[in-house]
Amino acid sequence: MIKNASLKAHILLPLALVLAILLGAFHYSLYQHAKTDADRDFVHQLQAAKNYYDRALTRRSEKLGVGLEAILRDKPLQAALRAHDRNALLKRSAPLFKALHDQYGITHFYFEDAARINVLRVHQPKRYGDTINRYTTLVAEKTGKITSGVELGPIGTFTLRVVAPMYDSHGLIGYVELGEEIEGVLQGVHDIIGTDLALFIDKQFLVRKNWESGMRMLKRNADWDRLPDAAIIHQTLDLPREALLSLLSGKDQPDRITNLSLDNKPYNAGMIPVEDAAGRKVGSLIILQDMSLKSREMEATLHKLSLFYLVLGGALFALFVPIIHRMERHLEHSRQQAITQGEEHVALQAKHIAELQDEQDRLQRTQEKLQQSQGKLRLSAQVFENSTEGIVITDIHANILQINRAFATITGYSEEEVAGKNINILHSGRHGPNFYQAMWSSLVEFGYWQGEIWNRRKNGEIYPEWLTLIATRDEQGETIHYIGVFADLTEKKQTEARAHYFANYDTNTDLPNRLLLAKHLQQELERANGNGWQVALLYLDLDRFKTINDTLGHRIGDKLLKAVAERIGHLVRDIDIIGRLSSDEFTIVLSDVGNRQNAEQVAKKILDAMNQPFEMEGQEVFITPSIGIALYPQDANNHEDLIRNADAAMAHIKAQGGNGFYFYSADMNVASSQRLTMETQLRRALERNEFVLHYQPQLSLHSGRIIGMEALLRWQHPERGLVSPAEFIPLLEETGMIVAVGDWVLHTACAQNSAWMAAGLPPLRMAVNLSARQFRQRDLIESVNQALQNTGLAPEHLELEITESIMIQDLQTTITTLNQLHELGIQISIDDFGTGYSSLSYLKRLPINKIKIDQSFVRDICTDPDDEAIANAVISLGHNLKMQVIAEGVETLEQLEQLRAQGCDEIQGYYFSRPLPAEAFAQLVRKSLITVKPV
């Protein structure tokens, strides 16, 4: 009995101990494996949340960009922004804002001028006038391109903003901005990814007062002191302060996973750094996942396995009891056999142990391979589902087995709608049988096909995509599946179409621009050369268009250009080509014109049609064309020379008063060459000091003394001598050189006047003409002020002359500029009064000191009752408005006496003196001081 008890103790007790150890080790290993899987799943959830956040911002940026492109092309909005007309902007943009808000959730809509001054907040119309210095706006100003980014608001909330510069035909107008609060993105992380979250912003980027008022407005916890360095902006789960401090302590370790227990529930927590548009790290987004379900699942699994192993252990015990009993009965017999067969038994046992060890090793390797395969399958499944490209898997008959999320997004079909259906449900009908036959031939032969294809969405829309097809085969080389991967090319095609349109067409008239017209003309000349045709090119320029544009505004000017294009289009054949070369220049290409008479007939039809008025917003507008005609091959043998020669013919008829047509002749190139030579010489005249100033005295009709002078520009050409201003000043205006030359005139005239007074001459007022281009320069006030300071001339001794056309262009800017000049103490006068589009309402609003009667009214004042009446009316108007009146072009004593009788204050003209060089003018002033002659 003692031996039997000893045998049971030696076998059963170690067996129980081994089973207990194995059960504990397996329990611990299974727990660690489950925890590792849970952490890995949370890392995936964290990455999914970050991917969703990034993609959501990208999609919203693209959505805002689409809305912004439509706004940038809106002509009424362009005109209203350039005019700073807030009422027109609000009236036009308010419906747009409502539509964008309803369709896209847009919450912010700004218009800013070129200096980034807020002209209109469409969402808050009463707030305007502040300077916008946000990062996205500054980048748009610097690059001249559309800029987007997330901007941090004063209360810690984020706004996605897209800013773009707005241009019209005259250049930069200002900036347009669209914005959207991204609270919806954070809520999407919570709703779609299925995780809780909390957004923290570092307090260094916040102002406590603004944050607290904002949180109370949003009905959120406004406890600023809850955390030392950060403020809570948004949270879907209320976290205790100790948990928040624990999470924020690891903000410098974004990859760390923190395990928390909240309300007796286990949570995994991870952190995503949050940056604004400038790349600053302004806070952190904490993602939390409730691990309760996984924990309960793991505990249930461990419990079941524990029961299983307990039952297994009991069964083993029950199995070993009779075995031990039998072993006891045969112990003696076994011992005898062991003596005789011991060595053989030991060898056989060793063999069995080795075989068991090999089998265990094979099982372990198989288990490791299985785990690796499972990991690869999980990774492949995530890549498949989260790919931005559509993916579809079919059987060998092209019946759909599986699709990913992007497939559903692009096509509009859900997986339930397409499962089991043939892939041909996507066919658009745009490809014939040969196309699909070639596709399947490539798949069968090579197992691969790639190319562009047009398919149909669920809603019937046909769209382009870039498709890659792959055939998968089994070990025997038989095809078992087809995989299709495709990307939607709709936006790419639309972008290419828009780029082609903007590169080749005029956006106002939809006519071919200069680039496309040149291509069409070259092709037309090639066809004409092959067929022996004649081609006529009509170069059309609108007379006085600039005057209409300046008077009625650019919006009416653009409408007029469009109406002209439409009227011309009704007068030519479908095979003829109309193009717009520049602001007011059009070309008409007459294909196979036949002869010179036919081209002349078309020109006459255009002239007759243009003599009819254009109806522009309730008023009639008249405009006439100047048409130059060149023929191919008589006048040129290539398209560039043909355009140039037609342009020369147009310039010829325009110089004769316009409203007619003229055929090109070879001698016209001589005049064009002379004009080009003069332009080149003018560009060097300033640096070579060839410009000089002459001064024409201005006399008081009351005292007879010289009280001022007008500075008049002259060009001392090194070969031609003194060139008439009528010959070169229009060219300075046209080329824009008038700005630099006008600045030189201003500084030189101020310096000369200051020098005369230093030499003992009495103080006189120097009158300097300002061109329209010079007046519109942003630095005009600075330039005038600098001229006065550099020369030491007092402001009251300077008078600036402007024309009536300047007054009616951009009235608000004109008023601002003239008031600034007036505040400096400078005198302002209106030159050539009565010859332009005068407005008495403008006149009384502007700080004008003097008006000048144009010499066209003075010339016949003694013989023409109309001129006498006009002069008398101008003098009366000026005096009633407390202004001085000066008459120019006085050449006879009779004219002087007539003006004196009408009460004119001052005169200038050849009767008293021609414009004189500086030294001669000084001598004239000194002489007048000695003897004052009555005038």
Side-chain angles (χ1 to χ4, degrees):
M1 290 297 294
I2 294 175
K3 290 182 179 180
N4 293 344
S6 176
L7 181 62
K8 292 179 181 178
H10 280 84
I11 295 176
L12 295 181
L13 287 178
L15 178 62
L17 181 61
V18 169
L19 288 174
I21 292 173
L22 289 175
L23 179 61
F26 180 79
H27 194 283
Y28 177 79
S29 175
L30 187 63
Y31 172 80
Q32 289 296 327
H33 184 270
K35 185 177 184 301
T36 301
D37 282 349
D39 289 344
R40 187 184 298 112
D41 290 342
F42 178 70
V43 170
H44 293 159
Q45 289 289 86
L46 195 62
Q47 185 61 42
K50 186 176 186 303
N51 291 343
Y52 173 83
Y53 177 84
D54 292 340
R55 286 198 303 270
L57 292 181
T58 300
R59 287 194 299 269
R60 282 165 167 79
S61 294
E62 294 172 349
K63 171 187 65 182
L64 295 179
V66 171
L68 201 56
E69 287 182 359
I71 295 171
L72 293 175
R73 294 193 299 269
D74 194 302
K75 298 293 185 181
L77 287 179
Q78 293 176 0
L81 181 56
R82 178 167 289 280
H84 286 69
D85 190 342
R86 298 185 68 255
N87 292 330
L89 273 178
L90 182 61
K91 181 178 180 181
R92 180 71 177 178
S93 59
L96 289 176
F97 174 65
K98 184 178 186 305
L100 292 172
H101 176 74
D102 295 340
Q103 186 173 1
Y104 297 126
I106 289 174
T107 56
H108 297 69
F109 192 175
Y110 292 77
F111 286 94
E112 303 148 16
D113 64 14
R116 293 181 282 101
I117 303 300
N118 174 29
V119 178
L120 177 66
R121 283 180 171 89
V122 182
H123 56 289
Q124 293 178 328
K126 294 184 179 180
R127 292 185 58 198
Y128 65 94
D130 52 316
T131 301
I132 304 301
N133 291 319
R134 283 189 290 270
Y135 179 81
T136 47
T137 307
L138 294 175
V139 172
E141 179 187 55
K142 180 178 180 181
T143 63
K145 299 179 179 178
I146 294 179
T147 304
S148 64
V150 175
E151 299 274 8
L152 181 64
I155 67 171
T157 58
F158 284 93
T159 302
L160 176 62
R161 301 181 183 274
V162 179
V163 185
M166 175 178 278
Y167 297 89
D168 63 7
S169 58
H170 300 280
L172 178 66
I173 308 172
Y175 304 89
V176 183
E177 174 180 337
L178 294 178
E180 177 185 357
E181 299 289 350
I182 66 167
E183 287 285 324
V185 176
L186 298 178
Q187 192 62 38
V189 173
H190 173 64
D191 296 339
I192 297 175
I193 305 302
T195 58
D196 286 296
L197 53 89
L199 176 62
F200 300 84
I201 299 300
D202 291 352
K203 289 183 177 179
Q204 61 176 314
F205 300 105
L206 300 173
V207 177
R208 177 170 183 167
K209 181 179 179 181
N210 294 340
W211 178 84
E212 288 177 342
S213 64
M215 291 298 102
R216 284 192 289 270
M217 179 184 68
L218 296 174
K219 298 181 179 180
R220 298 178 183 172
N221 189 347
D223 186 1
W224 175 266
D225 298 320
R226 188 179 184 186
L227 297 173
D229 300 320
I232 303 175
I233 306 302
H234 180 88
Q235 59 180 350
T236 60
L237 182 67
D238 191 14
L239 302 175
R241 185 173 186 273
E242 294 74 20
L244 294 174
L245 292 174
S246 174
L247 291 172
L248 291 177
S249 65
K251 66 181 180 179
D252 295 329
Q253 304 175 19
D255 296 328
R256 190 181 78 171
I257 299 176
T258 303
N259 302 120
L260 299 174
S261 178
L262 304 174
D263 295 331
N264 296 322
K265 291 183 180 181
Y267 280 83
N268 275 359
M271 185 177 300
I272 299 174
V274 177
E275 295 180 351
D276 66 1
R280 302 180 302 173
K281 183 178 180 300
V282 298
S284 304
L285 180 63
I286 295 179
I287 306 299
L288 301 105
Q289 184 177 28
D290 187 352
M291 305 301 294
S292 301
L293 179 60
K294 288 186 177 293
S295 178
R296 289 194 297 271
E297 290 175 350
M298 183 171 63
E299 289 174 358
T301 301
L302 291 175
H303 180 69
K304 291 178 181 178
L305 288 174
S306 298
L307 290 177
F308 171 77
Y309 274 98
L310 286 174
V311 173
L312 180 62
L316 287 174
F317 269 96
L319 179 64
F320 270 84
V321 169
I323 292 175
I324 292 173
H325 183 68
R326 292 179 62 188
M327 289 177 63
E328 288 174 345
R329 288 187 300 172
H330 298 285
L331 181 60
E332 187 64 27
H333 179 70
S334 298
R335 186 177 294 122
Q336 292 297 326
Q337 288 181 341
I339 293 173
T340 58
Q341 302 176 357
E343 294 181 359
E344 180 181 354
H345 182 72
V346 169
L348 182 62
Q349 188 178 30
K351 179 180 178 182
H352 289 167
I353 291 174
E355 290 176 350
L356 288 173
Q357 185 65 43
D358 291 342
E359 185 66 24
Q360 183 178 1
D361 291 342
R362 285 195 297 272
L363 288 173
Q364 184 174 358
R365 289 194 295 271
T366 301
Q367 184 177 9
E368 290 175 353
K369 291 181 180 179
L370 180 60
Q371 291 175 348
Q372 292 175 357
S373 298
Q374 290 174 343
K376 291 180 179 178
L377 285 173
R378 284 194 297 270
L379 179 61
S380 299
Q382 290 179 356
V383 171
F384 176 84
E385 188 61 27
N386 295 317
S387 173
T388 58
E389 296 183 326
I391 303 175
V392 58
I393 302 174
T394 74
D395 60 17
I396 59 175
H397 302 295
N399 295 319
I400 298 174
L401 302 177
Q402 189 176 0
I403 64 172
N404 71 342
R405 188 183 304 153
F407 179 100
T409 300
I410 295 172
T411 67
Y413 287 105
S414 65
E415 186 165 5
E416 293 77 11
E417 291 174 317
V418 298
K421 294 185 179 180
N422 196 276
I423 196 67
N424 61 17
I425 64 171
L426 301 178
H427 285 187
S428 64
R430 292 188 62 165
H431 304 291
N434 293 337
F435 175 85
Y436 292 106
Q437 184 177 359
M439 175 194 296
W440 284 105
S441 297
S442 176
L443 268 178
V444 172
E445 184 175 356
F446 305 108
Y448 179 85
W449 183 87
Q450 187 178 61
E452 183 177 310
I453 188 173
W454 287 80
N455 273 338
R456 186 184 303 275
R457 305 187 206 272
K458 179 182 177 181
N459 62 7
E461 176 189 351
I462 296 176
Y463 69 98
E465 67 181 32
W466 185 258
L467 174 63
T468 300
L469 296 176
I470 302 171
T472 61
R473 308 183 191 277
D474 58 16
E475 296 178 354
Q476 289 74 37
E478 296 294 330
T479 300
I480 56 176
H481 296 103
Y482 293 111
I483 300 175
V485 181
F486 61 92
D488 191 345
L489 299 180
T490 302
E491 290 188 6
K492 179 182 177 183
K493 294 286 187 181
Q494 292 173 346
T495 301
E496 290 174 351
R498 286 195 298 269
H500 179 268
Y501 175 80
F502 288 126
N504 293 280
Y505 289 90
D506 169 50
T507 57
N508 183 36
T509 63
D510 292 327
L511 294 177
N513 61 15
R514 182 181 293 273
L515 178 65
L516 183 58
L517 178 76
K519 293 179 182 178
H520 287 333
L521 181 57
Q522 179 63 31
Q523 294 169 358
E524 188 61 35
L525 296 187
E526 291 173 359
R527 284 195 295 269
N529 187 48
N531 296 308
W533 295 342
Q534 284 193 35
V535 175
L537 178 67
L538 278 62
Y539 199 114
L540 185 150
D541 181 272
L542 299 178
D543 304 328
R544 301 183 304 102
F545 177 74
K546 184 177 185 302
T547 302
I548 294 175
N549 222 13
D550 293 343
T551 305
L552 302 180
H554 294 287
R555 182 171 58 84
I556 297 297
D558 288 344
K559 284 188 175 182
L560 179 59
L561 290 173
K562 189 170 185 178
V564 168
E566 292 174 353
R567 187 170 292 186
I568 295 174
H570 294 310
L571 303 175
V572 297
R573 303 166 297 176
D574 292 339
I575 62 173
D576 298 328
I577 304 168
I578 307 174
R580 183 184 177 195
L581 296 185
S582 63
S583 174
D584 57 353
E585 294 180 340
F586 296 84
T587 56
I588 303 99
V589 180
L590 302 179
S591 175
D592 190 16
V593 70
N595 52 51
R596 178 189 180 102
Q597 289 72 25
N598 290 337
E600 180 177 337
Q601 187 64 29
V602 173
K604 289 180 179 179
K605 287 169 58 179
I606 293 175
L607 288 172
D608 291 341
M610 295 291 285
N611 281 330
Q612 302 302 315
F614 290 88
E615 182 71 22
M616 293 286 116
E617 297 188 359
Q619 60 180 319
E620 290 186 339
V621 177
F622 290 87
I623 193 162
T624 58
S626 296
I627 305 173
I629 307 173
L631 300 173
Y632 173 86
Q634 296 94 316
D635 297 330
N637 56 15
N638 60 70
H639 73 282
E640 293 178 348
D641 289 345
L642 193 64
I643 294 175
R644 181 166 50 252
N645 293 342
D647 186 12
M650 180 276 295
H652 181 82
I653 188 64
K654 198 171 189 67
Q656 296 180 11
N659 194 20
F661 65 90
Y662 201 84
F663 281 89
Y664 167 78
S665 61
D667 57 356
M668 290 180 181
N669 285 331
V670 176
S672 298
S673 177
Q674 291 174 347
R675 183 183 183 280
L676 183 60
T677 301
M678 177 176 286
E679 180 179 341
T680 303
Q681 293 173 342
L682 274 174
R683 293 190 181 277
R684 298 189 179 276
L686 188 60
E687 62 187 55
R688 292 175 177 174
N689 296 321
E690 296 175 3
F691 289 120
V692 295
L693 291 183
H694 285 188
Y695 304 90
Q696 186 171 36
Q698 297 174 334
L699 276 75
S700 168
L701 286 177
H702 305 295
S703 66
R705 290 184 178 275
I706 297 175
I707 47 85
M709 56 278 180
E710 180 179 4
L712 299 170
L713 181 64
R714 298 292 185 264
W715 180 17
Q716 187 67 46
H717 194 279
E719 298 175 358
R720 299 174 55 192
L722 211 58
V723 180
S724 170
E727 188 174 348
F728 70 87
I729 287 183
L731 192 55
L732 289 177
E733 290 275 6
E734 182 179 342
T735 59
M737 291 186 285
I738 193 66
V739 176
V741 175
D743 192 56
W744 175 87
V745 170
L746 176 64
H747 283 72
T748 303
C750 290
Q752 183 62 71
N753 199 14
S754 183
W756 279 333
M757 285 190 285
L761 266 66
L764 301 175
R765 186 172 57 249
M766 176 70 74
V768 178
N769 290 280
L770 287 183
S771 71
R773 283 178 178 263
Q774 192 177 5
F775 186 80
R776 294 304 176 197
Q777 296 301 303
R778 289 187 176 183
D779 60 349
L780 173 64
I781 305 301
E782 180 182 353
S783 180
V784 172
N785 199 26
Q786 186 177 7
L788 294 173
Q789 292 179 0
N790 291 346
T791 61
L793 184 67
E796 59 267 21
H797 296 142
L798 176 63
E799 177 182 303
L800 297 179
E801 294 188 3
I802 63 173
T803 61
E804 290 175 297
S805 62
I806 291 178
M807 292 195 305
I808 61 176
Q809 297 176 26
D810 193 357
L811 178 60
Q812 188 57 48
T813 302
T814 300
I815 293 175
T816 301
T817 302
L818 290 180
N819 281 330
Q820 290 175 336
L821 292 172
H822 184 71
E823 290 171 1
L824 291 177
I826 296 170
Q827 302 291 304
I828 308 295
S829 66
I830 302 177
D831 194 12
D832 301 333
F833 187 79
T835 61
Y837 291 84
S838 302
S839 172
L840 300 183
S841 63
Y842 291 173
L843 196 61
K844 71 177 183 179
R845 296 174 60 186
L846 300 174
I848 305 300
N849 304 102
K850 183 188 296 185
I851 54 179
K852 179 179 285 189
I853 303 175
D854 186 68
Q855 61 182 347
S856 63
F857 303 127
V858 175
R859 186 179 299 113
D860 297 322
I861 193 172
C862 298
T863 58
D864 189 336
D866 292 337
D867 287 344
E868 180 185 359
I870 292 174
N872 191 54
V874 172
I875 293 170
S876 298
L877 173 66
H879 289 167
N880 289 331
L881 293 176
K882 310 302 183 195
M883 300 177 186
Q884 292 286 305
V885 180
I886 183 173
E888 65 178 354
V890 178
E891 299 179 353
T892 68
L893 178 60
E894 291 78 8
Q895 293 171 345
L896 184 149
E897 293 298 340
Q898 179 67 38
L899 290 166
R900 188 204 302 275
Q902 291 179 332
C904 186
D905 301 298
E906 302 169 7
I907 64 164
Q908 71 180 82
Y910 283 8
Y911 174 72
F912 183 75
S913 173
R914 291 176 175 271
L916 300 172
E919 184 177 351
F921 180 83
Q923 293 176 358
L924 177 64
V925 174
R926 290 190 182 96
K927 182 179 178 180
S928 68
L929 292 177
I930 299 173
T931 303
V932 178
K933 300 190 325 183
V935 295

